[in-house]
Amino acid sequence: VKCSPQNPVVELPLNAKGKLDVGGAVGKDGALSVIRELGLKEPYIGQVPLVSGEIAEDVTEYYAVSEQTPTVCGLGVLVNPDLTVLAAGGFIVQLLPYADGAVIDTLEANLRTLPPVSSMIRDGMTPEEIVNRVMEGLVPNILDEYHPEYRCNCSRERTEAVLRSLGRKELDAMIAEDHGAEVCCHFCNKTYAFTEAELAALRDSIPENGEDGGE
């Protein structure tokens, strides 16, 4: 999963709860769209209007409206005075079709007394401990574990493919006018530099009939 905010630097006062005003930064004039590839002819696309701009609330609304799945999503982040992230994380809980009312009551009771996610992470709680806290009284089974990494799958080879897709004329223009090129990844901000000679080699690798990069 990759994402990139168009405007990553937003200066807003804290909200009424003394927390980062994510909802104020995101706003409500928009939609949450989810595209899922399910192996069918066309991907499944679900879309709901933003309800608050708070990401966890909008994710919860998406599942309730678009997929008719009762869901609770909790997200949190603590930021240091120098704007580095001290603690961040989240959880998502969904009810299976056969869940009875007692399960719902237990979850609601747990959520009412649940500390903020970012506080639990700051205090050293592991993901398993947070799950057990959210699901207290329900005896959850851990079926699998994954370790997320903050990384981007961009590479020089992928960047070369993007440049070739521009076509011979566009590459000639880069060589003549800019004498090279710098391509910055939209997600991780890594920059790939290409000299005139490297652009010429990419141009020469494109078939003569591939002027627009689309053939």
Side-chain angles (χ1 to χ4, degrees):
V1 176
K2 295 194 294 186
C3 65
S4 175
Q6 288 184 323
N7 183 8
V9 181
V10 180
E11 297 289 346
L12 287 175
L14 300 178
N15 62 22
K17 296 181 180 179
K19 298 182 180 298
L20 295 174
D21 190 9
V22 176
V26 173
K28 295 186 283 187
D29 183 17
L32 171 61
S33 300
V34 177
I35 302 173
R36 296 176 61 186
E37 180 57 64
L38 302 175
L40 305 175
K41 273 190 173 183
E42 299 292 335
Y44 170 80
I45 302 176
Q47 186 177 82
V48 296
L50 298 180
V51 294
S52 70
E54 293 289 341
I55 296 173
E57 293 179 15
D58 289 318
V59 169
T60 298
E61 179 74 3
Y62 164 80
Y63 278 110
V65 173
S66 184
E67 300 193 11
Q68 288 80 52
T69 303
T71 300
V72 173
C73 180
L75 300 172
V77 59
L78 287 177
V79 178
N80 288 310
D82 63 357
L83 300 184
T84 58
V85 175
L86 174 62
F91 65 84
I92 186 168
V93 179
Q94 294 183 319
L95 292 178
L96 294 173
Y98 54 78
D100 58 30
V103 170
I104 298 173
D105 292 341
T106 299
L107 280 173
E108 289 179 343
N110 291 343
L111 292 169
R112 280 195 294 269
T113 60
L114 190 72
V117 181
S118 53
S119 298
M120 292 190 286
I121 295 172
R122 178 199 59 194
D123 294 341
M125 291 180 67
T126 65
E128 183 174 350
E129 289 171 335
I130 294 174
V131 167
N132 287 330
R133 177 65 180 79
V134 175
M135 310 287 284
E136 190 174 358
L138 298 176
V139 194
N141 295 318
I142 305 297
L143 301 179
D144 211 340
E145 296 184 17
Y146 299 90
H147 296 280
E149 298 178 44
Y150 183 74
R151 64 181 175 86
C152 184
N153 64 346
C154 71
S155 67
R156 190 171 183 84
E157 292 72 22
R158 291 170 69 101
T159 308
E160 289 175 354
V162 171
L163 289 172
R164 276 196 297 268
S165 72
L166 298 177
R168 298 170 64 91
K169 288 183 179 178
E170 187 68 27
L171 290 175
D172 279 335
M174 288 182 183
I175 294 169
E177 298 170 12
D178 302 323
H179 308 291
E182 282 194 351
V183 181
C184 183
C185 176
H186 188 60
F187 297 101
C188 69
N189 291 324
K190 184 174 182 179
T191 300
Y192 298 91
F194 293 84
T195 64
E196 290 185 64
E198 289 171 329
L199 290 180
L202 291 175
R203 176 202 59 200
D204 294 342
S205 70
I206 301 173
E208 289 291 342
N209 64 349
E211 290 289 349
D212 62 1
E215 295 178 8

